[in-house]
Amino acid sequence: MASAQGAEDRPDAEDTAETEELSQRLAVEELITTEASYVHNIQLCVSDIRAHLQKKQLPDLDLEGLFSNTDDILHVSIRFLKGLEATATQEHDQLLCTLFQEFKEEMETVYKIYCASYEHALLLVESYRKDPRLQKEILETLNVTVPHTGASDLSFFLVMPVQRVTKYPLLLGKILENTPASASAYPALQAAVRAMAQVNTNINEYKRRREVATKYNKAEHLTLRDRFARLNTHSITKKTTRLSRLFMHEAGIVPKTEDRVYDDLEEKFQCVVSSVAMLKENVASYLALQRIPEPFLLCKTVPPADSWACLGGSYGDLGSLAPQKQRLDRLVCQPLCSLSDMLVGPQQLVKKRLDKLLDYEEIQERKSEMGSVTYDEEAAMNTYLAINALLVAELPRFNQAALQLLGQIVCSLSTLQRDLAAQVLHQAEKELEQMPHGRMPLPSFWKMVEDTLQQSGAQLRTFCQTFETVTPSPVTQPLNPAEERKVLSLVSKHGPDKLYQVTSNISGSKDLDLTLQRGQIVALLQSVDTKGNTSRWLVDAGGTGQKPNPNHFLILDETAGHCLPGSSLPGFAQPKPISALPAAPVAISCKVQVVAGFSFAARSPQEVSLQAGQPVVVLEPHDKKGSKEWSLVDVNGQRGYVPSSYLVTVPVQEPTGWSLPV
C-alpha cells in the first residue's frame, strides 16, 4: 500500500519538475527575445532616426539632448545580447548569473546617465510638439525610417532604455521563481536579482542627486532689487544661523565636520580653478602681444563659428597667417572658454555644499538634543548628503578630465607658438636671401657690419669737429646812397658808438612811434622812455629840416628779431665804434644759420646737391604742393629742392662790427 502511494507521488513530482523546467526555459527565452527586440529598436533609434534627423540639419533640434548616450547603451547591449545567446546554447544557468554580474557596473554607468537626462529629453519632445515645423519633420522621419512601429512621437523610443533597465530584476525574478531551491544555480540567480535591483536603486539615487545638483548649480545673475525681493523672515533666519555657525567654526567654539575624502577632492578642484584662471591671464597677455582683442576672456560660451567674432574679428599683425589664427581659435580659445564654463556649475555646487553643511550640523545638534527633527529638516539633511555624495562621486572624474583638457590647451599653445616662430624665421630667411649680403657667411657679415659702423662713427666725429670750427660768414645787407648820406649825418651828429642797425621790421602803433624796415640805421638817444620803460627807446632815425622831428620812441617787440648779447633787446644789432663813415655794405647780425646736416645727391633737375655742413638759404619751406617734406633752397646760386629733414639750424658768431673801408 505504501509502495503504491510512493509510486503515485513520483509522477506528480516529476510533472512539477518538468513544469518548472519548462517555465524556467520560457523565462530565459523571454529574456533573450526581449533583449534582441530591444537592441533592434535602439539600433533603429541611433542608425535610422537620429541619422535621418542629422541630415535635415535643423538648427533648433537638440539631438544630443534627445538621444543622450544611446550609443554607449547600444554598445553595452549588443555585447550583453551576445553573452545571453551564448549561455542559451550551453543551457547553463550559472553562466547566465555570471553574465549579469559582469555587466552590472557597465549597465549602471550608462543607464544612470541616460535616466538622469531622460526628463530633459521629454521636455524637448514636448517643446517640439508645439512647433509645427519641427513636429512635421519629426513625423516625416518616423514615417520614413520606422513605419512598421506605428510610433507617433520620439518618446516611443526614448522610454525604451528606462523601461529595459527596470525590467531586468523582474525577468531574473521570474527565472528564479521557476528554479528549484535545491538547484546549484539558485544562489547565483538570487545574487543576480539583488545585483540588478541594486543597479536600479543606484540609478534612482544618482537621478535624485542630479536633480538636486541641477537645482543648485545654476549661476543666477540677480539684480539688487531681486535679491531684496527674495528676503523674508525664513531666509534671513537661515542666513543668520549659517553665519553664526561659520563664526563658531572659525573661533573654535564648535568642531568642524571633517571629510578627508571630500576635502582632498575640493583642494584639487580649487587648484584646477586657479590654474584655469592663470592660463586665461597668460593667454590674454599672449593675445595682447599679438595685438588681438580678448573679450573671450570674459568667457561667455559662443558657437565655434563666432569665436573669432567675439575676439573682434582681428588678428593684428598676423593677419596673413590665416591657418595660424584658425588653429589658435580651434585648439586654444574655444577649449579654454568651454573649460571655464564647465567650472561654473561645480563651483556653485561646492559653495552650496558649505551652506547645506552648516544647516546639517545645526540640525544634527538639535536632533541629538530633542531626539527628532521635522520633515523639512530631514529633507535638508538629505539634501546635504545628496550633494556631498554627488561631489565625492563626480569630482574625481571631473578633476581628471579638466586637468587633461588643461594640459592639452597648454601643449597646443606652446606648439602653436613654436610653429609661429618657425614660420616667422622662415619668412625672415627668405627676405634675407633677397638682400645683397644675404648669402654672405655669418662671420663675414658681422665683420662688414662692424666696419660700416666704425666708418659711420668716424664720419660723424669728423663732421662734428668741422661743424664746431667752421662758422659760415655773415650775410651782408647793402646800403643805398640815401642811406649812406643818412648814416654820415647820424655819425657826425651822435658818433659811431650810438649807431644801431635794425635786424627785423618794426611797426609803430602809437603817437611818436617809428615804423622802420630791416637794415635801417638809427642813433640811440635814450634806452628808456619817459616812464622808465626799457622796451621803448628814444632814437634818431635821421631826416631833413623840412620833415618833423625825427627823434621818436621806438617800440621793441620782444617776439621779433634776435636778442643781442649785452643789451638782451630784440630787433637791433650794435656795431663796434668806428672812426670813419663806411662806404661799403654794413654787416647785419644773424644769430642762426641754416646748413646741411647730411650730404644729399640730386636725383633730378628739380633737386640740388648738398654737402654736409654747407650753408644754404631757404627760399620756401615747402614744395609746390605745400608738402613740408621738401624745401626750396639756394646753394651757391643754384636753386633746387632738398629734403627738409636734411637741413638744420645752427647758431653763429656775432658780426665783427663795421668792416667798411674809411
Side-chain angles (χ1 to χ4, degrees), residues 542-568:
T544 60
Q546 291 81 11
K547 293 187 177 182
N549 187 354
N551 299 337
H552 293 278
F553 288 102
L554 181 63
I555 296 179
L556 302 180
D557 185 1
E558 296 183 358
T559 62
H562 308 286
C563 293
L564 297 174
S567 64
S568 298

Side-chain angles (χ1 to χ4, degrees), residues 594-598 610 614 616 618 631 633 642-649:
V594 179
V595 299
F598 309 93
L610 294 177
Q614 186 175 10
V616 300
V618 178
S631 298
V633 299
V642 297
S644 300
S645 59
Y646 278 49
L647 303 178
V648 295
T649 302

Side-chain angles (χ1 to χ4, degrees), residues 584-617:
V586 180
I588 297 178
S589 172
C590 185
K591 294 300 179 181
V592 294
Q593 173 68 49
V594 179
V595 299
F598 309 93
S599 299
F600 174 74
R603 297 168 295 181
S604 66
Q606 289 78 23
E607 298 175 358
V608 62
S609 298
L610 294 177
Q611 296 295 327
Q614 186 175 10
V616 300
V617 177

Side-chain angles (χ1 to χ4, degrees), residues 242-303:
R242 290 174 181 172
L243 187 60
S244 62
R245 190 81 184 178
L246 188 61
F247 283 155
M248 286 190 290
H249 279 173
E250 298 299 329
I253 300 176
V254 294
K256 296 181 181 179
T257 301
E258 294 186 359
D259 189 341
R260 294 277 185 179
V261 176
Y262 173 78
D263 292 342
D264 293 341
L265 291 174
E266 184 188 0
E267 183 179 358
K268 293 179 181 179
F269 174 73
Q270 297 299 342
C271 180
V272 172
V273 172
S274 61
S275 299
V276 171
M278 186 178 299
L279 180 60
K280 286 170 60 178
E281 294 178 0
N282 292 335
V283 172
S285 301
Y286 175 80
L287 298 180
L289 290 175
Q290 306 297 342
R291 287 191 268 176
I292 306 175
E294 65 280 2
F296 91 100
L297 295 173
L298 301 178
C299 265
K300 292 186 178 179
T301 303
V302 294

